[in-house]
Amino acid sequence: MSVTVVDHPLIQHKLSFLRDEATSVTGFRALCTEISMLMAFEAMRGLPLEDAEVRTPVATARVRRLAGKKLALVAILRAGLIMADGILTLVPNARVGHVGLYRDEQTLQPVQYFVKLPGDVADRDVFVLDPMLATGGSAVAALDLLKQHGAKSLRLLCILGAPEGIARVEGAHPDVEIILAARDDRLDDRGFIVPGLGDAGDRIYGTR
Ligand code: PRP
């Protein structure tokens, strides 16, 4: 089990504006999309390639293409949706699943309200998307669900991760690689990531 922090300068730069409370809803959305694309670029580094041949206007070229492995992006609603939008620009053929979870503000427990997954999710490389890994309850619930549907190749992409959430996912799903843009310091007593960026769903959708 591994945790990868994609600390590329472009991501760090964009993250500085994402964290800033003065960033507008429009800016926040654009930054989430861009950071997700950059994270996916790194997260997909290990995808298998296969040999192929094409005719260029000059000669025959030996080329490499993604092997027939099929991808699925699974967005944890709501905030994961924007990550899926960004990553789909890189892998437009990926199938997209949705898992609706919200975190009860009192208990911090995830409450599931919607599930729609690709029928062949068990055969796909699955990237689970949620900007925030706080207590880890939502991520663990989504990963549990995906495994119940037979998914075997799972990676978790979160923009920010708190140590508590990382440890919880590591404990429950040691086979799942976690890819983050930043590992933050801690959770506060409301379960918010510190220093964090606030409530990602509210900042994306302009609610609250
Ligand atoms: C937030 C966030 C994660 C979850 C993280 O969602 O987007 O899904 O909380 O917390 P956890 O790691 O402690 O489970 P929220 O419940 O606010 O729902 P929303 O995306 O619909 O706003």
Side-chain angles (χ1 to χ4, degrees), residues 16-187:
S16 77
F17 296 101
L18 194 73
R19 290 187 190 277
D20 188 338
E21 65 177 2
T23 296
S24 67
V25 167
T26 322
F28 193 89
R29 287 180 190 149
L31 288 161
C32 279
T33 306
E34 292 162 8
I35 290 170
S36 303
M37 287 172 60
L38 292 166
M39 291 177 68
F41 188 72
E42 181 61 30
M44 293 183 185
R45 178 181 290 280
L47 291 182
L49 293 169
E50 62 189 10
D51 294 324
E53 233 176 51
V54 297
R55 281 288 303 169
T56 77
V58 178
T60 300
R62 288 177 175 280
V63 294
R64 309 269 286 156
R65 286 183 172 151
L66 287 176
K69 201 79 174 158
K70 300 181 288 185
L71 304 181
L73 310 178
V74 174
I76 300 181
L77 306 180
R78 293 173 300 168
L81 276 177
I82 202 146
M83 297 183 73
D85 287 347
I87 297 170
L88 276 174
T89 63
L90 296 180
V91 286
N93 283 333
R95 300 297 185 261
V96 181
H98 298 89
V99 178
L101 290 170
Y102 71 86
R103 195 172 68 159
D104 182 285
E105 289 185 3
Q106 307 304 323
T107 66
L108 301 184
Q109 294 304 307
V111 180
Q112 183 181 302
Y113 59 90
F114 185 79
V115 178
K116 189 76 180 174
L117 298 172
D120 59 355
V121 73
D123 303 324
R124 291 181 178 268
D125 274 330
V126 181
F127 293 80
V128 180
L129 311 173
D130 191 335
M132 310 299 278
L133 178 60
T135 67
S138 303
V140 167
L143 292 166
D144 286 346
L145 180 83
L146 282 156
K147 287 187 177 175
Q148 285 160 19
H149 282 77
K152 293 170 283 296
S153 169
L154 288 156
R155 295 178 181 85
L156 174 66
L157 265 71
C158 301
I159 296 178
L160 297 185
E164 294 87 336
I166 295 168
R168 187 155 169 193
V169 174
E170 282 181 325
H173 295 287
D175 55 308
V176 175
E177 182 184 5
I178 303 173
I179 297 118
L180 306 170
R183 189 196 306 252
D184 271 17
D185 298 342
R186 62 184 176 86
L187 295 180

Side-chain angles (χ1 to χ4, degrees), residues 5-19 31 35 38-39 181-182:
V5 179
V6 189
D7 58 353
H8 189 285
L10 273 176
I11 292 187
Q12 292 188 53
H13 178 75
K14 291 177 188 296
L15 202 48
S16 77
F17 296 101
L18 194 73
R19 290 187 190 277
L31 288 161
I35 290 170
L38 292 166
M39 291 177 68

